[in-house]
Amino acid sequence: MVSTIYFAYGSNMSSAQLRAWDTAHRCLGAAELRDHRLAFLRRSVRWKAGAADIVYAPGESVWGVLWELPLGARELDLKESAGDAYRRRPVEVHVDGAPVTAMAYEVIDKAPTELQPRREYVQLMVEGAREHGLPSAWLKRLHALFPSKDG
């Protein structure tokens, strides 16, 4: 089967998000995008708040989930407003230390400053990170975006 390998670092780390958009998917595991950082440089129309982006940052890393999708996966292009809000971009991620070429979505017109994401959006990111066994240090970074009262 010809497929697209997709690196998700935002709400699409959650299997529930892909199911909600009728996107066929198979998880390939946790992956690390080196020399990048997580940023919130786009105001999402859907969330009415900041949405995740990846930005080149030497020495930093972004953790996410690697998905195998049917070739094209146009449902996600619609969800991510590909060509308008986000563009598809090739990235090299590492899975268990081995390099893998994947596609990621990157914000086209980045805001000059970070925009606060909604708590519900970050919660989807945390759920996806937990679901797929991302490193505990990464989970702590995501939790720090919205510290909870109950820990």
Side-chain angles (χ1 to χ4, degrees):
M1 173 177 117
V2 179
S3 59
T4 297
I5 305 302
Y6 165 50
F7 175 68
Y9 54 87
S11 63
N12 289 339
M13 289 191 291
S14 168
S15 296
Q17 277 293 96
L18 295 183
R19 279 192 303 273
W21 283 83
D22 278 338
T23 302
H25 58 281
R26 181 173 74 92
C27 182
L28 300 177
E32 177 188 21
L33 176 62
R34 296 178 181 166
D35 293 325
H36 285 76
R37 71 177 178 86
L38 182 67
F40 295 87
L41 298 173
R42 178 181 178 280
R43 181 170 169 74
S44 167
V45 173
R46 183 179 318 109
W47 292 99
K48 306 213 181 334
D53 188 17
I54 47 175
V55 178
Y56 180 71
E60 295 192 43
S61 287
V62 174
W63 281 88
V65 177
L66 207 58
W67 297 106
E68 181 179 35
L69 310 173
L71 187 63
R74 297 299 171 209
E75 304 88 359
L76 278 183
D77 282 350
L78 288 172
K79 178 183 184 284
E80 302 302 332
S81 299
D84 179 34
Y86 286 88
R87 68 174 142 244
R88 285 179 173 223
R89 170 188 154 198
V91 294
E92 181 182 273
V93 296
H94 290 81
V95 178
D96 296 324
V100 175
T101 299
M103 176 276 293
Y105 288 101
E106 176 186 36
V107 170
I108 295 171
D109 294 318
K110 297 176 189 309
T113 59
E114 298 261 352
L115 304 166
Q116 182 67 48
R118 282 186 58 186
R119 183 178 299 276
E120 296 85 355
Y121 181 82
V122 173
Q123 189 57 40
L124 279 173
M125 293 173 69
V126 168
E127 287 171 12
R130 267 199 201 117
E131 175 186 359
H132 300 290
L134 271 58
S136 60
W138 187 251
L139 276 164
K140 286 179 185 172
R141 281 189 64 189
L142 294 178
H143 274 295
L145 295 169
F146 269 107
S148 65
K149 295 174 190 136
D150 53 71

